[in-house]
Amino acid sequence: MFITCCNRFNFMLYTLFLAAIITSASKKSVPIPASSFAKSDNPLRQPFSLHNWTLQLPIGVGSDFETVRNPLLSEPGYGNDFFHLNKPGNAYVFHTPVLPENGVSSENSAFTRTELREMNHTNNKLEASWDTVKGVHYMKVTQSINSISSSTEGKLINFQIHSDCCAVLTVRLFSKPETGVLLFADFDKFANGSLTKIIGADKYPLIENYVLGTIFDLEVVVDNGLVYVYLNGVLKSPKEGYRSNLLAVYFKAGSYSQNVPSATIPATAVNEVSIYKMELYHGDGPYTPPTPSNPTIDSDY
Ligand SMILES: *[C@@H]1O[C@H](CO)[C@@H](O)[C@H](O)[C@H]1NC(C)=O
Ligand SMILES: *[C@@H]1O[C@H](CO)[C@@H](O)[C@H](O)[C@H]1NC(C)=O
Ligand SMILES: *[C@@H]1O[C@H](CO)[C@@H](O)[C@H](O)[C@H]1NC(C)=O
């Protein structure tokens, strides 16, 4: 069952290995621009703890993006051009140009991201890694999507459960004539460890006609192999749960662009997400299912 997945994974590793040999001679770090934003009224506020996370930035060399780790990430006032507080200081803003000046090149890694990656909660130097089949795993993100790179071709990912090879679940915003501005949950073709579905077949609308800037609660529960997605406390994925048996997965949240500059998307186009709150739980459960919510937060992003 795992063969399809892992052959693909081995192939990816091999490709990465070759790429590493080719690029290692020229590997160097890119300076992270300090925030030109610096307009928060409360520059030292911390809307939520970043202790359990690392931050991936849309800059770097080749496909090797810059990562900001703790303790730096948790220092009050830490920020840069791509990650900073909003004006009131009640959200972190994830600002992702499709091609920043020092951008991760579109040759190697097509898409830019400003994204948090879950780390181990008892030792945040280690990457978090858990199995969807065992235990209860819960994450709640209160967020808004402020900007999408194109109103007719825009695509971004604002939440993921991922492993090294496959995604369990991605939450995406599409802005296209066929879909309108649609926020939806997409279970990956490898979500249960084997190639079981046509790509994009298992989509569940979360918000239709999304108005940019609207704040919503996204809650994801993984309960012993069954995945549930809630929007503002209302279940949007199958009632019986979406079956997943992927190993060594982790949560991600932020702004992961799915567009590259083109004839119709300028290099200055931006994907931007604000995150107001994040909650995480890993344990044996049982858990209390989310209840309807209506996040009202004073914000101008
Ligand atoms: C963190 O590491 C501990 C010890 O290795 C492990 O038991 C636990 O499952 C890990 N937690 C996560 C979320 O990765
Ligand atoms: C994986 O999903 C496919 C298609 O939905 C289903 O037929 C199969 O039983 C699932 N496998 C597991 C292990 O859940
Ligand atoms: C890290 O996550 C765990 C949940 O597994 C939580 O109990 C803990 O408070 C978090 N740490 C911080 C500093 O937020």
Side-chain angles (χ1 to χ4, degrees):
M1 290 213 65
F2 249 53
I3 304 282
T4 326
C5 167
C6 295
N7 277 349
R8 176 171 167 266
F9 179 40
N10 286 341
F11 175 72
M12 277 170 51
L13 274 184
Y14 180 67
T15 314
L16 285 176
F17 174 68
L18 284 184
I21 291 176
I22 294 162
T23 58
S24 62
S26 62
K27 205 173 264 183
K28 60 174 166 24
S29 187
V30 164
I32 300 171
S35 182
S36 56
F37 186 80
K39 286 182 204 132
S40 180
D41 297 337
N42 298 289
L44 297 184
R45 256 182 84 168
Q46 298 189 295
F48 53 88
S49 167
L50 294 165
H51 180 265
N52 288 329
W53 300 90
T54 55
L55 174 70
Q56 300 171 341
L57 292 175
I59 52 168
V61 177
S63 57
D64 196 14
F65 46 72
E66 289 291 325
T67 301
V68 182
R69 296 173 188 281
N70 277 301
L72 177 61
L73 183 58
S74 292
E75 269 176 25
Y78 176 77
N80 56 59
D81 274 0
F82 311 107
F83 172 83
H84 50 72
L85 288 170
N86 65 354
K87 187 141 196 316
N90 62 0
Y92 289 114
V93 178
F94 297 72
H95 185 85
T96 316
V98 291
L99 187 71
E101 272 168 52
N102 295 314
V104 170
S105 130
S106 51
E107 287 156 48
N108 298 321
S109 154
F111 303 130
T112 51
R113 66 175 95 215
T114 312
E115 205 183 19
L116 294 171
R117 194 255 192 238
E118 189 188 11
M119 300 301 279
N120 188 287
H121 301 174
T122 46
N123 178 356
N124 68 3
K125 305 225 174 329
L126 302 175
E127 296 187 325
S129 173
W130 44 272
D131 302 337
T132 56
V133 280
K134 197 164 150 272
V136 172
H137 312 273
Y138 167 81
M139 184 161 161
K140 176 175 182 178
V141 195
T142 303
Q143 63 182 317
S144 62
I145 297 166
N146 312 328
S147 163
I148 181 116
S149 49
S150 160
S151 59
T152 54
E153 305 167 57
K155 290 186 283 180
L156 80 82
I157 291 176
N158 54 297
F159 176 90
Q160 312 188 59
I161 301 177
H162 219 279
S163 75
D164 279 349
C165 74
C166 316
V168 175
L169 167 74
T170 52
V171 178
R172 299 165 190 258
L173 188 78
F174 274 14
S175 181
K176 295 175 170 192
E178 314 89 89
T179 57
V181 186
L182 176 69
L183 183 73
F184 65 97
D186 188 13
F187 288 94
D188 190 78
K189 59 187 186 297
F190 293 112
N192 75 4
S194 58
L195 182 56
T196 52
K197 74 171 180 82
I198 300 160
I199 299 174
D202 293 352
K203 280 189 181 134
Y204 299 90
L206 301 178
I207 305 180
E208 290 172 82
N209 304 314
Y210 178 72
V211 176
L212 291 173
T214 308
I215 300 172
F216 57 89
D217 285 330
L218 174 69
E219 285 165 279
V220 175
V221 181
V222 182
D223 182 0
N224 294 289
L226 296 173
V227 188
Y228 304 86
V229 182
Y230 293 79
L231 198 281
N232 291 339
V234 178
L235 182 65
K236 297 287 184 175
S237 59
K239 267 202 279 299
E240 64 279 14
Y242 194 97
R243 200 166 283 284
S244 167
N245 59 9
L246 273 195
L247 307 179
V249 304
Y250 45 88
F251 289 119
K252 298 195 85 177
S255 157
Y256 182 16
S257 168
Q258 301 291 293
N259 290 114
V260 291
S262 67
T264 49
I265 300 182
T268 50
V270 162
N271 287 300
E272 191 186 277
V273 171
S274 289
I275 300 185
Y276 295 81
K277 248 188 274 171
M278 260 173 29
E279 284 170 37
L280 267 179
Y281 168 83
H282 291 286
D284 297 326
Y287 73 97
T288 315
T291 49
S293 62
N294 177 20
T296 44
I297 297 171
D298 220 11
S299 170
D300 50 3
Y301 308 168

